[in-house]
Amino acid sequence: MIEYDELYKIVQGKLSAKRFNHTLNVINRAVEYARVYGVDEDEVKLCALGHDIAKELRDIENKKYNDILDDIEKVNGNLIHAKIGAIMCKQYGFNDDMINAIKYHTTGRENMSILEKIIYLADATEEGRRVGSTYVEVVKKDINKGMLEILSWTIKKLLDENKVIHIDTIKCYNYYILNREN
Ligand code: DGI
Ligand code: FE
Ligand code: FE
């Protein structure tokens, strides 16, 4: 697996200062959650560092990956980067759980691992996220409640903006509705 410092330089080289700063904020938030939930901090840090690696690829580079994208992903700039980022991180030696954390960090999915949830939630609740960051304490108290709150907020926003909703986003939301304890 790639060393943290090596990936740091690669990611820094691919992202604008603003997006890289977001990535650093996600690392900090993800480490906070990893400590609460007893998850391997080294894996969490690498995933957080790599999660948006493909966010600013040029269209021509994205085209190379057209075959692996579904119809919704092909037309939605926000969704493409997670799938392509997962492929790139596989090349850096990420294990399957880490690759899935990158792959599903935008939509979520049913039955996520604890690492997948931490990356999804750290991304949504880093300190630069005006609304998202208000959910930090909820996440630390009950990670599944945190997932439901963030998904519900995201889907409402997508509806308000008449955006396409990916099936994984819906499945993820339904999963937490059907499995909630109260
Ligand atoms: O890459 P980031 O901006 O850091 O964060 P992200 O990967 O979570 O992507 C953020 C955007 O993706 C956010 O504005 C919500 C949007 N998103 C999440 N699920 C869906 C979605 N957009 C569409 N169109 N459909 C979805 O199902
Ligand atoms: Fe992202
Ligand atoms: Fe992000």
Side-chain angles (χ1 to χ4, degrees):
M1 187 138 36
I2 191 166
E3 293 289 332
Y4 181 85
D5 290 348
E6 194 186 340
L7 185 62
Y8 188 101
K9 289 197 201 90
I10 294 172
V11 173
Q12 193 172 31
K14 290 185 186 292
L15 298 179
S16 63
K18 189 160 176 262
R19 174 69 44 190
F20 190 64
N21 185 58
H22 157 73
T23 295
L24 298 180
N25 287 344
V26 176
I27 295 169
N28 289 337
R29 192 65 87 214
V31 167
E32 270 181 63
Y33 294 155
R35 289 186 182 147
V36 172
Y37 290 104
V39 174
D40 185 303
E41 279 183 38
D42 291 335
E43 285 192 0
V44 162
K45 281 173 75 176
L46 278 174
C47 287
L49 179 59
H51 86 281
D52 275 341
I53 189 168
K55 188 83 182 183
E56 294 175 356
L57 290 185
R58 286 173 299 141
D59 286 349
I60 182 101
E61 290 175 275
N62 281 327
K63 282 234 166 55
K64 286 191 272 182
Y65 298 93
N66 225 291
D67 292 350
I68 60 126
L69 302 173
D70 65 33
D71 290 346
I72 302 251
E73 287 159 353
K74 276 183 191 143
V75 297
N76 191 288
N78 266 333
L79 301 173
I80 291 172
H81 77 285
K83 294 290 157 68
I84 297 180
I87 292 174
M88 293 170 76
C89 287
K90 188 173 186 169
Q91 287 161 0
Y92 300 133
F94 279 33
N95 66 36
D96 288 348
D97 192 22
M98 293 166 73
I99 292 166
N100 285 330
I102 309 293
K103 193 169 177 182
Y104 296 104
H105 86 263
T106 305
T107 58
R109 63 166 172 165
E110 296 166 288
N111 204 211
M112 292 162 86
S113 72
I114 183 78
L115 179 65
E116 290 174 49
K117 291 178 195 176
I118 284 177
I119 297 304
Y120 179 92
L121 290 167
D123 187 21
T125 64
E126 59 95 344
E127 66 177 54
R129 303 281 205 201
R130 194 173 46 82
V131 179
S133 58
T134 63
Y135 291 98
V136 172
E137 293 311 314
V138 177
V139 173
K140 286 184 180 173
K141 213 164 148 250
D142 180 344
I143 199 161
N144 293 330
K145 178 130 192 297
M147 287 298 302
L148 181 54
E149 297 274 349
I150 295 292
L151 277 153
S152 166
W153 177 75
T154 301
I155 291 173
K156 278 180 209 151
K157 196 155 100 32
L158 293 171
L159 286 174
D160 281 346
E161 295 168 358
N162 290 332
K163 296 256 178 74
V164 66
I165 302 179
H166 194 277
I167 191 72
D168 287 337
T169 306
I170 307 269
K171 282 185 176 174
C172 188
Y173 169 78
N174 285 348
Y175 179 86
Y176 289 102
I177 288 290
L178 295 172
N179 291 288
R180 75 182 151 172
E181 274 147 24
N182 42 42

Coordinates of all heavy atoms in Angstrom, one line a residue, residues 4-5 7-13 15-33 44-53 118-119 122-129:
Y4 N 1.5 7.3 3.2 CA 0.7 8.5 3.3 C 1.4 9.7 2.6 O 0.7 10.5 1.9 CB 0.5 8.8 4.8 CG -0.4 10.0 5.1 CD1 -1.7 9.9 5.1 CD2 0.2 11.2 5.3 CE1 -2.5 11.0 5.4 CE2 -0.5 12.4 5.6 CZ -1.9 12.2 5.6 OH -2.7 13.3 5.9
D5 N 2.7 9.9 2.9 CA 3.4 11.1 2.4 C 3.4 11.1 0.9 O 3.3 12.2 0.2 CB 4.8 11.2 2.9 CG 4.8 11.5 4.4 OD1 3.8 11.9 5.0 OD2 5.9 11.3 5.1
L7 N 1.1 9.6 -1.2 CA -0.2 9.9 -1.7 C -0.5 11.4 -1.5 O -1.2 12.1 -2.3 CB -1.3 9.0 -1.0 CG -2.7 9.2 -1.5 CD1 -2.8 8.8 -3.0 CD2 -3.7 8.3 -0.7
Y8 N -0.1 12.0 -0.3 CA -0.3 13.4 0.0 C 0.2 14.3 -1.2 O -0.5 15.1 -1.7 CB 0.5 13.7 1.3 CG 0.2 15.1 1.8 CD1 -0.7 15.3 2.9 CD2 0.8 16.2 1.3 CE1 -0.9 16.5 3.5 CE2 0.6 17.5 1.9 CZ -0.3 17.6 2.9 OH -0.5 18.9 3.5
K9 N 1.4 14.0 -1.7 CA 2.0 14.8 -2.8 C 1.2 14.6 -4.1 O 0.9 15.6 -4.8 CB 3.4 14.4 -3.0 CG 4.3 14.9 -1.9 CD 5.8 14.9 -2.3 CE 6.7 14.9 -1.0 NZ 7.1 13.5 -0.6
I10 N 0.8 13.3 -4.3 CA 0.0 13.1 -5.5 C -1.3 13.8 -5.5 O -1.7 14.5 -6.5 CB -0.2 11.5 -5.7 CG1 1.1 10.8 -5.9 CG2 -1.2 11.3 -6.8 CD1 1.0 9.3 -5.9
V11 N -2.0 13.7 -4.4 CA -3.3 14.4 -4.3 C -3.2 15.9 -4.4 O -4.0 16.6 -5.1 CB -4.1 13.9 -3.0 CG1 -5.4 14.7 -2.8 CG2 -4.4 12.4 -3.0
Q12 N -2.2 16.4 -3.7 CA -2.0 17.8 -3.7 C -1.8 18.3 -5.1 O -2.2 19.4 -5.5 CB -0.8 18.2 -2.8 CG -0.6 19.6 -2.5 CD 0.4 19.9 -1.4 OE1 1.4 19.1 -1.3 NE2 0.3 20.9 -0.6
G13 N -1.1 17.5 -5.9 CA -0.8 17.9 -7.3 C -2.0 17.8 -8.2 O -2.0 18.4 -9.3
L15 N -5.3 18.6 -7.1 CA -6.4 19.4 -6.6 C -6.0 20.8 -6.4 O -4.9 21.2 -6.1 CB -6.9 18.8 -5.3 CG -7.4 17.4 -5.3 CD1 -7.9 17.0 -3.9 CD2 -8.6 17.2 -6.2
S16 N -7.0 21.7 -6.6 CA -6.9 23.1 -6.3 C -6.7 23.3 -4.8 O -6.9 22.4 -4.0 CB -8.2 23.8 -6.7 OG -9.2 23.4 -5.9
A17 N -6.1 24.4 -4.4 CA -5.9 24.7 -3.0 C -7.1 24.5 -2.2 O -7.1 24.0 -1.1 CB -5.3 26.1 -2.8
K18 N -8.2 25.0 -2.7 CA -9.5 25.0 -2.0 C -10.0 23.5 -1.7 O -10.3 23.1 -0.6 CB -10.6 25.7 -2.8 CG -11.9 25.9 -2.1 CD -12.7 27.1 -2.7 CE -14.0 27.2 -2.0 NZ -15.1 26.6 -2.8
R19 N -9.9 22.7 -2.8 CA -10.3 21.3 -2.7 C -9.4 20.5 -1.8 O -9.8 19.7 -1.1 CB -10.4 20.7 -4.1 CG -10.7 19.3 -4.2 CD -12.1 18.9 -3.8 NE -13.1 19.7 -4.3 CZ -14.4 19.7 -4.0 NH1 -14.8 18.8 -3.1 NH2 -15.3 20.5 -4.5
F20 N -8.1 20.9 -1.9 CA -7.1 20.2 -1.1 C -7.3 20.5 0.4 O -7.2 19.7 1.3 CB -5.7 20.5 -1.5 CG -4.7 19.6 -0.8 CD1 -4.7 18.2 -1.1 CD2 -3.7 20.1 0.1 CE1 -3.8 17.4 -0.4 CE2 -2.8 19.3 0.7 CZ -2.8 17.9 0.4
N21 N -7.7 21.8 0.7 CA -8.0 22.2 2.0 C -9.2 21.4 2.6 O -9.2 20.9 3.7 CB -8.2 23.7 2.1 CG -8.5 24.1 3.5 OD1 -7.6 23.9 4.4 ND2 -9.6 24.7 3.8
H22 N -10.2 21.2 1.7 CA -11.4 20.4 2.1 C -10.9 19.0 2.5 O -11.3 18.4 3.5 CB -12.4 20.3 0.9 CG -13.3 19.1 0.9 ND1 -14.3 19.0 1.8 CD2 -13.3 18.0 0.2 CE1 -14.9 17.8 1.6 NE2 -14.4 17.2 0.6
T23 N -10.0 18.4 1.6 CA -9.5 17.1 1.9 C -8.8 17.0 3.3 O -9.0 16.1 4.0 CB -8.5 16.7 0.8 OG1 -9.3 16.6 -0.5 CG2 -7.8 15.4 1.0
L24 N -8.0 18.0 3.6 CA -7.3 18.0 4.9 C -8.4 18.1 6.0 O -8.2 17.4 7.1 CB -6.3 19.2 5.0 CG -5.2 19.2 4.0 CD1 -4.3 20.4 4.2 CD2 -4.4 17.9 4.1
N25 N -9.4 18.9 5.8 CA -10.5 18.9 6.8 C -11.2 17.6 7.0 O -11.6 17.2 8.1 CB -11.6 20.0 6.4 CG -11.1 21.4 6.6 OD1 -10.1 21.6 7.3 ND2 -11.8 22.3 6.0
V26 N -11.3 16.9 5.9 CA -12.0 15.5 5.9 C -11.1 14.6 6.7 O -11.6 13.8 7.5 CB -12.3 15.0 4.5 CG1 -12.9 13.6 4.6 CG2 -13.3 15.9 3.8
I27 N -9.8 14.7 6.5 CA -8.9 13.8 7.2 C -9.1 14.0 8.7 O -9.2 13.1 9.5 CB -7.4 14.1 6.8 CG1 -7.2 13.7 5.4 CG2 -6.4 13.3 7.8 CD1 -5.8 14.1 4.8
N28 N -9.1 15.3 9.1 CA -9.2 15.6 10.6 C -10.5 15.1 11.2 O -10.5 14.5 12.2 CB -9.2 17.1 10.8 CG -7.8 17.7 10.6 OD1 -6.8 17.0 10.7 ND2 -7.7 19.0 10.3
R29 N -11.6 15.3 10.4 CA -12.9 14.8 10.9 C -12.9 13.3 11.0 O -13.4 12.7 11.9 CB -14.0 15.3 10.0 CG -15.4 15.2 10.5 CD -15.6 16.0 11.8 NE -16.1 17.3 11.6 CZ -15.8 18.4 12.3 NH1 -15.1 18.2 13.4 NH2 -16.3 19.5 12.0
A30 N -12.4 12.7 9.9 CA -12.4 11.2 9.8 C -11.6 10.6 11.0 O -12.0 9.6 11.6 CB -11.8 10.7 8.5
V31 N -10.5 11.2 11.4 CA -9.7 10.7 12.5 C -10.4 10.8 13.8 O -10.4 9.9 14.6 CB -8.3 11.4 12.5 CG1 -7.6 11.1 13.9 CG2 -7.4 11.0 11.4
E32 N -11.1 11.9 13.9 CA -12.0 12.1 15.1 C -13.0 10.9 15.2 O -13.2 10.3 16.3 CB -12.9 13.4 15.0 CG -12.3 14.6 15.6 CD -13.3 15.8 15.4 OE1 -14.4 15.7 15.9 OE2 -13.0 16.7 14.6
Y33 N -13.7 10.6 14.1 CA -14.6 9.6 14.1 C -14.0 8.2 14.3 O -14.5 7.3 15.0 CB -15.5 9.6 12.8 CG -16.3 10.8 12.6 CD1 -16.7 11.2 11.3 CD2 -16.8 11.5 13.7 CE1 -17.5 12.3 11.1 CE2 -17.6 12.6 13.5 CZ -18.0 13.0 12.2 OH -18.8 14.1 12.0
V44 N -8.1 5.0 7.7 CA -9.0 6.1 7.6 C -8.3 7.4 7.0 O -8.9 8.1 6.1 CB -9.6 6.5 9.0 CG1 -10.1 7.8 9.1 CG2 -10.6 5.4 9.4
K45 N -7.1 7.6 7.4 CA -6.4 8.8 6.9 C -6.1 8.7 5.4 O -6.2 9.6 4.6 CB -5.0 9.0 7.6 CG -5.2 9.6 9.0 CD -4.0 9.7 9.8 CE -3.0 10.7 9.3 NZ -1.8 10.8 10.2
L46 N -5.7 7.5 5.0 CA -5.4 7.3 3.5 C -6.7 7.4 2.7 O -6.7 8.1 1.6 CB -4.8 5.9 3.3 CG -3.3 5.7 3.5 CD1 -3.0 4.2 3.3 CD2 -2.5 6.5 2.5
C47 N -7.8 6.9 3.2 CA -9.1 7.0 2.5 C -9.5 8.5 2.4 O -9.9 8.9 1.3 CB -10.2 6.2 3.2 SG -10.0 4.5 2.9
A48 N -9.4 9.2 3.5 CA -9.9 10.6 3.5 C -9.0 11.4 2.6 O -9.5 12.2 1.8 CB -9.8 11.1 4.9
L49 N -7.7 11.1 2.6 CA -6.7 11.8 1.7 C -7.1 11.5 0.2 O -7.0 12.4 -0.6 CB -5.3 11.3 2.0 CG -4.2 11.9 1.2 CD1 -4.1 13.4 1.3 CD2 -2.8 11.2 1.7
G50 N -7.5 10.3 -0.1 CA -7.7 10.0 -1.5 C -9.1 10.2 -2.0 O -9.4 10.1 -3.2
H51 N -10.0 10.5 -1.1 CA -11.5 10.4 -1.4 C -11.9 11.2 -2.6 O -12.7 10.8 -3.5 CB -12.4 10.6 -0.2 CG -12.7 12.1 0.0 ND1 -11.9 12.9 0.6 CD2 -13.8 12.8 -0.3 CE1 -12.5 14.1 0.7 NE2 -13.6 14.1 0.2
D52 N -11.3 12.4 -2.8 CA -11.7 13.3 -3.9 C -10.6 13.4 -5.0 O -10.5 14.4 -5.7 CB -12.0 14.7 -3.4 CG -13.5 14.8 -2.9 OD1 -14.3 14.0 -3.4 OD2 -13.8 15.8 -2.2
I53 N -9.7 12.4 -5.0 CA -8.5 12.5 -5.9 C -8.9 12.7 -7.4 O -8.2 13.4 -8.1 CB -7.7 11.2 -5.8 CG1 -6.3 11.4 -6.5 CG2 -8.4 9.9 -6.2 CD1 -5.3 10.3 -6.3
I118 N -17.6 6.2 8.0 CA -16.7 7.3 8.5 C -16.3 8.2 7.4 O -16.3 9.4 7.5 CB -15.5 6.7 9.2 CG1 -16.0 6.2 10.6 CG2 -14.4 7.7 9.4 CD1 -15.0 5.5 11.5
I119 N -15.9 7.7 6.2 CA -15.5 8.5 5.1 C -16.7 9.3 4.6 O -16.6 10.5 4.3 CB -14.8 7.7 4.0 CG1 -13.5 7.0 4.5 CG2 -14.5 8.6 2.8 CD1 -12.5 8.0 5.2
A122 N -17.5 12.0 7.3 CA -16.4 13.0 7.5 C -16.4 14.0 6.3 O -16.3 15.2 6.5 CB -15.0 12.3 7.6
D123 N -16.7 13.5 5.1 CA -16.8 14.3 4.0 C -18.0 15.3 4.1 O -17.8 16.5 3.8 CB -17.0 13.4 2.7 CG -17.0 14.2 1.4 OD1 -16.5 15.3 1.4 OD2 -17.6 13.6 0.4
A124 N -19.1 14.8 4.6 CA -20.3 15.7 4.7 C -20.2 16.6 5.9 O -20.9 17.6 5.9 CB -21.5 14.8 4.9
T125 N -19.4 16.3 6.9 CA -19.4 17.1 8.2 C -18.1 17.8 8.5 O -17.9 18.2 9.6 CB -19.8 16.2 9.4 OG1 -18.8 15.2 9.6 CG2 -21.2 15.5 9.2
E126 N -17.2 17.9 7.6 CA -15.9 18.6 7.9 C -16.2 20.0 8.2 O -17.2 20.5 7.9 CB -14.9 18.4 6.7 CG -15.3 18.9 5.3 CD -14.8 20.3 5.0 OE1 -14.4 21.0 6.0 OE2 -14.9 20.6 3.8
E127 N -15.2 20.7 8.8 CA -15.5 22.0 9.4 C -15.9 23.1 8.4 O -16.5 24.0 8.8 CB -14.3 22.5 10.3 CG -13.1 22.7 9.5 CD -11.9 23.3 10.4 OE1 -11.6 22.6 11.4 OE2 -11.4 24.4 10.1
G128 N -15.5 22.8 7.1 CA -15.9 23.8 6.1 C -17.3 23.7 5.6 O -17.8 24.5 4.9
R129 N -18.0 22.6 6.0 CA -19.4 22.4 5.5 C -20.3 23.1 6.5 O -20.5 22.7 7.6 CB -19.8 20.9 5.5 CG -18.8 20.0 4.7 CD -19.2 20.1 3.2 NE -18.7 18.8 2.6 CZ -18.5 18.8 1.3 NH1 -18.6 19.8 0.5 NH2 -18.1 17.6 0.7

